[in-house]
Amino acid sequence: MKAPIFAAGLFLATSALAQDTVLTVYAGDYVVSEWGPGPRIEELFEAQCDCDLQFKPGDLLPRLMLEGERTEADVVFGLNTDVTKQARESGLFAPHGVDLSALTLPIDWTDDVFLPFNYGHTAFVYNAELTEPPTSFDALLDAPDDLRLVIQDPRTSISGLALVLWVQSVYGEEAQAAWEKLAPKIVTVTKGWSESYGLFTDGEADMVLSYTTSPAYHIIAEEDTTKKAAIFPEGHYFMVELAAKLAGTDQPELAQQFMDFILTEDFQSMIATGNWSIPAALPKEKWPEGFQQLDLPEKVLFYSEDEAADLRDEAIEAWRAGLSQ
Amino acid sequence: MARRSVAVIAGAALAALTLGPIALVLWRAGGLGALGPGDWLALRFTLVQAVLSAGVSVALAVPVAKAFARQRFWGRGLLVALMGAPFILPVIVAVMGLIAVFGRNGLVNGVLSTLGLPVFDVYGLHGVVLAHVFFNLPLATRMLLQGWLAIPSERFRLAASLGLGARARVRVLDWPMIRRVAPGAFAVIFVICLTSFAVALTLGGGPRATTVELAIYQSMRFDFDLGRAAALALVQLALGLGAGVLALQASRVAGFGTGLDRPLPLSAGGLCTRAWDAGWLILAAAFLLVPLASVVLRGLPGLVQLGPDTWRAAGHSLMLALGSTALCLLWALPLTTRRGELWALMSIAISPLVLGTGLFLMLRPYVNPFSMALPVTGLINALMALPFALRILTPEAEAVARDYGRLRASLRMTPLAWLRLVWLPRLRRPLGFAAGLTAALAMGDLGVIALFADPDRATLPLQVYRLMGAYRMEAAAGAALLLLMFSLGLFWIFDRGGRVGAET
């Protein structure tokens, strides 16, 4: 019974919706799930645009590069700073034209193409049961070898890439030596964040590479205050998620309207619990309760996209060599 | 004549869908990329773990399958079906189950520490092999079990009436069958292990456990270096084909000829034999079922948290699985020859990521690939399952053609009568097994849908990842359990359907 309906749906999907103007937004897969920010964004934006916002989830950059100028995307939502150089060089994007004075990021942001919507920092998350959690990166390297750590592979995951850039930023030339010291504590390396976090919640590791904002999920959604992010004085690598408008969009006004919407308070006050990240343009007193309790680093480490692109291979190689000893 | 043209069409479709995507990716990249020193290390690790994984799986499967073939006991059919479950589990679920048993807080270490023994660390090359054996031992066992059951009972009677001893029986009955079936099983498992990377990485413990598939992933998704991805995909393909050719060479052993399908004379053996068989069955069942049980236990509390999205995803997966199964069987039937089987081996040696990207490039000029997400995934699943279906069907199909070909010629049977009266009834058992496997594999597949995903057409495995990505670990465990039940249910129904009335 279902198959013919489905097949008919395939052919009708485009024509039935044609009466509405459609804004096509490519987004990361996590955005569109029923617990991600996608459904809320859609609701809020459709209320003001008289249009149909359609999220197309998947791998953002590879897909855009494959499609090139023929892409149907009007807006891309969820790019990461460590890949913006490649994205910018593709020439596919147009300036966002949004006034950036509302931003509340811990770093200066002047990019006229990529617009931040939320951020967090790479951090090691642990359970309160862990006695004497390391209080600095050096302390982590010197911790006893039975401290068990799970991290992600920098070649397959964006958080894993952020970690090697973090180590590179803290230890520079000594990065490989730092990895060698860390190696005995690393239980395993996973393909993506989900697998690592699953191992951590299963008790397979004492600490997991995640984000400073991870404890907020446990506080707000589970009323569990035992998950903490270890804060290191050496500083934390900064991760920001970005939106951008396609130069070749056939809906330039709608796309612009969406870009303008991102820094509005409506959007910003929803994104914290929608995406479990800190809003990019909202003063701390307006963050949800659980976010205000978070331990956040005072020092933020960040590479410009050029620096990140230049250092990437070196940082990954230091990681590979350090862990392969 | 008509039969041959159907075979040609099926073979051409197979070739176009496996080689076409690589060619397109190559064309888009403007040529092959260079391989770096890291790639050669990855190649070495890939080979070592695939050889070990396939070798251990097949070696362990021999006594287990023999025990199943020889012993009759209550719940045997259920055990055979249940033990097949690991093969069809999504990687992430299986790894969690294995870690619940072999991990730091797992059962094994619980027992070891109460006995005051040193802790077992599952991460490393042995962890990778352990996981791959967990996945593939059931497949190897089923293939060998099919082989034993296909030996005509007249051969056993003859052996008994000649008064052959245990050793002689092994030499004239068991060994020729193992020689014929084991190389194929080894090749299929070797090729499956070639393209693994999430398991290898998670249980391998770090960058030393890098496989070629991981390098493909990196060059496609992070570096967008299509040339390097295509070069690596070709290397992987060559390895898979090489393994296939060697296996087919090695398995050129004559079959056992025809029988009258009389039930096997039961000979469970003496006490020693029975204890030996029981030991193997208990070990294998514990190894395969305890991790599954932990998936079930972990998933139960999460089942109530599943929202309508998850049930809808389950519906999509079910539809997808049935569609893939129908397509795969129709595709497999004309290809049940050695050459067809070799061709089909390519389709698992191909990186799913390269395949998906190639299809994307292929479809892009004509339709929106996203609107085709489910049909494309169904097609790819059928393609990916084809080698398994053929490995199961070909030996039987060849035997039928060989043993009944003269009968067919002398009776001048029409193709339809041949299919209806001889072919299908004789192939019912492997057909049911192949259909069950295809359905379950399609149910658990994640590979390609991730590339084409559409928010409204998610499949169940994708949903498990989404739940985990949204910190819903408990709900994810529930969804994983749902997936396990669906996969196992489909497998059981098809496999059962093929075995009704048979002694197996």
Side-chain angles (χ1 to χ4, degrees):
Chain A
M1 261 317 280
K2 265 198 170 161
I5 298 173
F6 170 68
L10 280 184
F11 293 106
L12 293 177
T14 31
S15 58
L17 294 166
Q19 49 199 342
D20 260 347
T21 32
V22 173
L23 181 72
T24 305
V25 179
Y26 281 11
D29 199 52
Y30 57 92
V31 171
V32 302
S33 80
E34 58 187 300
W35 322 272
R40 290 283 295 142
I41 294 172
E42 202 172 329
E43 193 184 316
L44 288 169
F45 189 65
E46 285 180 356
Q48 56 158 283
C49 76
D50 186 31
C51 70
D52 176 23
L53 188 158
Q54 291 185 1
F55 278 111
K56 301 282 179 188
D59 296 330
L60 295 181
L61 204 51
R63 185 197 301 168
L64 275 174
M65 303 290 268
L66 281 177
E67 293 182 335
E69 286 174 5
R70 303 188 45 178
T71 182
E72 285 172 18
D74 300 309
V75 171
V76 169
F77 187 83
L79 286 174
N80 185 282
T81 36
D82 296 322
V83 297
T84 44
K85 185 181 163 93
Q86 215 178 7
R88 200 186 304 274
E89 284 172 354
S90 72
L92 291 170
F93 298 98
H96 57 65
V98 176
D99 175 14
L100 297 176
S101 61
L103 288 177
T104 51
L105 301 180
I107 59 163
D108 267 343
W109 191 267
T110 52
D111 197 314
D112 61 352
V113 173
F114 297 103
L115 182 67
F117 58 86
N118 63 200
Y119 71 93
H121 325 74
T122 311
F124 292 98
V125 171
Y126 63 95
N127 228 319
E129 291 160 20
L130 183 66
T131 50
E132 295 177 46
T135 51
S136 69
F137 222 122
D138 281 338
L140 176 67
L141 299 192
D142 293 328
D145 283 353
D146 60 4
L147 179 84
R148 292 170 61 102
L149 196 63
V150 214
I151 61 170
Q152 294 106 58
D153 195 308
R155 300 165 299 177
T156 54
S157 101
I158 204 82
S159 48
L161 182 59
L163 173 64
V164 298
L165 290 172
W166 185 13
V167 171
Q168 196 70 28
S169 165
V170 173
Y171 293 99
E173 298 282 296
E174 304 299 312
Q176 184 179 330
W179 281 114
E180 281 170 26
K181 274 178 98 172
L182 205 53
K185 295 174 261 291
I186 295 173
V187 176
T188 198
V189 177
T190 65
K191 175 189 152 201
W193 175 89
S194 302
E195 290 95 333
S196 280
Y197 212 78
L199 287 174
F200 167 67
T201 53
D202 276 354
E204 200 58 19
D206 303 311
M207 296 186 105
V208 58
L209 174 71
S210 189
Y211 304 104
T212 46
T213 47
S214 298
Y217 170 79
H218 299 283
I219 297 171
I220 295 171
E222 299 178 339
E223 293 174 4
D224 167 11
T225 53
T226 62
K227 304 283 189 297
K228 305 258 184 231
I231 302 300
F232 295 163
E234 290 95 336
H236 284 245
Y237 198 73
F238 179 68
M239 305 265 299
V240 54
E241 284 186 292
L242 307 162
K245 190 172 76 170
L246 272 293
T249 169
D250 54 356
Q251 298 289 349
E253 279 136 37
L254 265 184
Q256 189 57 48
Q257 199 182 340
F258 186 81
M259 296 304 285
D260 292 335
F261 165 63
I262 286 176
L263 295 193
T264 61
E265 197 164 328
D266 270 357
F267 181 101
Q268 289 291 315
S269 40
M270 162 281 300
I271 195 75
T273 52
N275 207 28
W276 303 109
S277 274
I278 303 171
L282 203 64
K284 187 171 182 177
E285 56 276 11
K286 290 191 178 171
W287 295 356
E289 182 64 18
F291 275 83
Q292 299 199 20
Q293 297 173 27
L294 290 177
D295 299 323
L296 294 178
E298 280 173 18
K299 186 171 170 197
V300 164
L301 305 170
F302 182 62
Y303 284 126
S304 73
E305 66 187 32
D306 289 318
E307 288 168 320
D310 286 347
L311 280 173
R312 208 175 78 155
D313 289 346
E314 191 185 327
I316 293 178
E317 186 47 35
W319 168 85
R320 202 193 60 77
L323 293 192
S324 295
Q325 292 299 311
Chain B
M1 194 50 212
R3 213 156 45 91
R4 175 159 300 176
S5 58
V6 172
V8 167
I9 292 169
L14 177 63
L17 280 175
T18 43
L19 297 178
I22 294 198
L24 263 175
V25 170
L26 257 179
W27 170 76
R28 179 73 166 69
L32 285 177
L35 301 185
D39 294 332
W40 295 110
L41 287 175
L43 184 62
R44 199 178 65 186
F45 177 80
T46 308
L47 275 174
V48 168
Q49 61 84 14
V51 167
L52 280 175
S53 303
V56 175
S57 300
V58 174
L60 291 179
V62 171
V64 178
K66 178 77 204 178
F68 269 122
R70 186 154 55 185
Q71 306 297 338
R72 293 290 175 277
F73 50 90
W74 184 86
R76 176 177 172 278
L78 186 69
L79 191 61
V80 171
L82 268 181
M83 278 181 41
F87 185 69
I88 58 193
L89 276 182
V91 163
I92 193 166
V93 178
V95 168
M96 292 296 165
L98 280 174
I99 282 172
V101 176
F102 297 100
R104 175 171 67 156
N105 294 333
L107 282 175
V108 169
N109 277 324
V111 173
L112 287 179
S113 66
T114 43
L115 296 176
L117 292 168
V119 172
F120 171 73
D121 184 16
V122 69
Y123 304 96
L125 177 62
H126 58 282
V128 179
V129 174
L130 182 89
H132 284 159
V133 172
F134 174 74
F135 277 113
N136 296 307
L137 175 62
L139 183 68
T141 305
R142 277 302 296 265
M143 284 180 170
L144 284 163
L145 181 58
Q146 297 277 356
W148 255 299
L149 297 173
I151 300 178
S153 61
E154 287 77 3
R155 291 289 178 126
F156 287 99
R157 287 168 202 273
L158 185 63
S161 66
L162 290 174
L164 291 187
R167 202 175 279 248
R169 272 207 305 265
V170 167
R171 194 158 45 83
V172 300
L173 290 173
D174 297 348
W175 180 240
M177 190 285 297
I178 294 172
R179 277 284 319 268
R180 207 159 48 94
V181 177
F186 181 92
V188 168
I189 295 171
F190 174 84
V191 177
I192 297 171
C193 295
L194 275 188
T195 58
S196 142
F197 89 94
V199 173
L201 195 61
T202 304
L203 289 169
R208 263 170 302 183
T210 296
T211 60
V212 175
E213 185 71 20
L214 183 135
I216 294 178
Y217 187 95
Q218 180 194 8
S219 45
M220 299 272 327
R221 307 216 340 187
F222 263 52
D223 303 339
F224 202 70
D225 184 350
L226 290 180
R228 179 163 164 252
L232 290 163
L234 285 175
V235 168
Q236 197 160 289
L237 189 64
L239 284 178
L241 277 180
V245 170
L246 285 179
L248 289 186
Q249 286 297 335
S251 63
R252 270 176 213 282
V253 179
F256 287 99
T258 1
L260 295 174
D261 290 347
R262 279 185 295 222
L264 214 61
L266 288 183
S267 139
L271 198 61
C272 240
T273 312
R274 264 185 272 180
W276 166 267
D277 283 349
W280 277 106
L281 289 178
I282 289 168
L283 274 180
F287 174 54
L288 297 172
L289 299 184
V290 176
L292 280 186
S294 84
V295 171
V296 174
L297 284 180
R298 281 163 37 96
L300 282 175
L303 272 186
V304 292
Q305 297 181 16
L306 299 179
D309 271 21
T310 305
W311 290 102
R312 199 163 46 235
H316 289 146
S317 283
L318 192 62
M319 210 160 71
L320 190 70
L322 295 176
S324 297
T325 307
L327 185 60
C328 179
L329 290 187
L330 284 177
W331 204 345
L333 290 181
L335 289 174
T336 49
T337 56
R338 273 167 188 278
R339 195 182 299 162
E341 204 188 336
L342 186 59
W343 273 101
L345 210 53
M346 287 197 321
S347 65
I348 17 174
I350 280 196
S351 155
L353 214 59
V354 172
L355 191 65
T357 306
L359 278 174
F360 186 95
L361 290 170
M362 211 182 267
L363 288 171
R364 191 72 192 95
Y366 309 105
V367 288
N368 178 353
F370 298 110
S371 63
M372 302 292 286
L374 286 186
V376 167
T377 313
L379 175 70
I380 292 182
N381 283 332
L383 183 67
M384 295 288 198
L386 199 54
F388 303 106
L390 284 174
R391 185 85 280 272
I392 294 160
L393 291 171
T394 305
E396 298 279 310
E398 283 195 318
V400 173
R402 194 173 53 236
D403 301 340
Y404 295 88
R406 272 167 302 182
L407 176 75
R408 174 187 190 178
S410 67
L411 292 177
R412 294 175 198 261
M413 282 173 114
T414 64
L416 212 63
W418 161 256
L419 266 185
R420 193 168 57 84
L421 295 173
V422 183
W423 219 80
L424 289 178
R426 296 209 66 82
L427 282 183
R428 201 174 69 169
R429 193 163 62 201
L431 270 175
F433 178 35
L437 204 58
T438 307
L441 277 177
M443 193 83 208
D445 176 70
L446 178 73
V448 184
I449 188 86
L451 205 71
F452 291 93
D454 178 314
D456 305 322
R457 304 198 183 102
T459 58
L460 203 44
L462 193 59
Q463 192 74 359
V464 174
Y465 273 90
R466 282 184 178 170
L467 282 162
M468 289 188 81
Y471 292 94
R472 266 75 178 174
M473 300 294 165
E474 199 172 76
L481 172 58
L482 194 66
L483 182 55
L484 176 66
M485 295 188 309
F486 268 78
S487 300
L488 208 57
L490 277 178
F491 179 74
W492 193 78
I493 290 169
F494 278 115
D495 191 38
R496 187 78 207 153
R499 288 188 293 138
V500 167
E503 255 302 298
T504 56

